[in-house]
Amino acid sequence: MVKTEKRLGKPQEEEPEKADGRGAATREMILAAAREVFSRHPYHAASIRMIAAQGSFYHGLIRYHFPSKAAIFEAVVEEICSELLKQNREWLMEAAGLSPDQALSLYLDRFIAYHRSRPETFRIVVKNLSQEDGEEIPGYHHLRDLLSGSRADFTRLFAGLFTESSLTCFLESFNTLIIHYL
């Protein structure tokens, strides 16, 4: 038996690790296809078959890695919202020591560059925030948390420059412009 293991190569306990690596790559492939589909269609209009077609794989492969469309969407939304909130904090920290005009200019430059490099991120956010039945969308709380987290970051960093009402007006106007721009 030892000779068989030597001839076959790696010991048996290493095989699951290899399978996990392939599983993680497959999962990422599915999520990449899902991001594309969800960037073109809101949650309720998208389907697992659309994701499979986008990724050029059988929909059964998706079912092996994700129990439902809801689970896929939740994973996508959680990932993009987490990344966007992280980036937003970095942009705000860069802008914190600048004059208001310079800060806004830098922030907008970073925001637009991010959008150009990852347009699907904002499309997914916009397509699903604008749904009437948003609370029924899996992972919708991540979208709400993104907006409230961004607001809290703005408030924390620019508290001395804006009154609460002017900050609210700015953020609502900014979000409205972004939604229409995207």
Side-chain angles (χ1 to χ4, degrees):
M1 187 176 233
V2 175
K3 289 181 182 180
T4 305
E5 285 181 356
K6 285 182 180 178
R7 273 186 281 152
L8 293 176
K10 296 181 180 179
Q12 192 172 0
E13 63 268 3
E14 290 184 29
E15 289 178 7
E17 190 174 307
K18 185 177 177 184
D20 285 348
R22 278 184 276 170
T26 301
R27 182 178 161 82
E28 284 307 310
M29 183 176 69
I30 292 167
L31 290 173
R35 277 189 293 277
E36 286 298 318
V37 170
F38 290 130
S39 74
R40 291 190 309 266
H41 306 281
Y43 171 75
H44 292 300
S47 71
I48 287 180
R49 290 192 185 277
M50 291 169 134
I51 296 167
Q54 176 68 39
S56 300
F57 40 79
Y58 294 107
H59 74 278
L61 180 67
I62 297 172
R63 294 272 186 207
Y64 180 79
H65 291 275
F66 294 95
S68 64
K69 177 178 81 167
I72 300 168
F73 188 76
E74 173 113 26
V76 166
V77 170
E78 181 178 16
E79 180 181 75
I80 66 169
C81 287
S82 175
E83 175 62 23
L84 187 54
L85 189 57
K86 177 182 166 222
Q87 289 297 311
N88 189 61
R89 286 182 178 142
E90 288 179 18
W91 304 330
L92 288 172
M93 292 304 290
E94 283 182 71
L98 303 174
S99 70
D101 289 348
Q102 292 172 322
L104 182 60
S105 179
L106 177 68
Y107 181 81
L108 290 174
D109 287 346
R110 299 291 190 261
F111 196 94
I112 291 168
Y114 187 88
H115 169 63
R116 286 186 177 149
S117 68
R118 298 171 187 89
E120 72 282 351
T121 296
F122 293 105
R123 289 185 194 134
I124 292 168
V125 170
V126 169
K127 286 191 180 301
N128 290 286
L129 270 177
S130 61
Q131 298 297 307
E132 288 180 25
D133 56 350
E135 294 301 321
E136 295 176 17
I137 296 174
Y140 190 79
H141 65 281
H142 295 297
L143 298 170
R144 281 194 328 266
D145 292 348
L146 171 65
L147 293 178
S148 64
S150 295
R151 178 182 179 76
D153 292 340
F154 266 96
T155 302
R156 188 172 39 260
L157 288 170
F158 299 112
L161 295 176
F162 300 103
T163 64
E164 181 65 27
S165 62
S166 64
L167 183 62
T168 298
C169 183
F170 170 76
L171 290 174
E172 287 177 3
S173 299
F174 182 74
N175 289 336
T176 300
L177 285 171
I178 292 301
I179 288 169
H180 290 291
Y181 171 75
L182 301 176

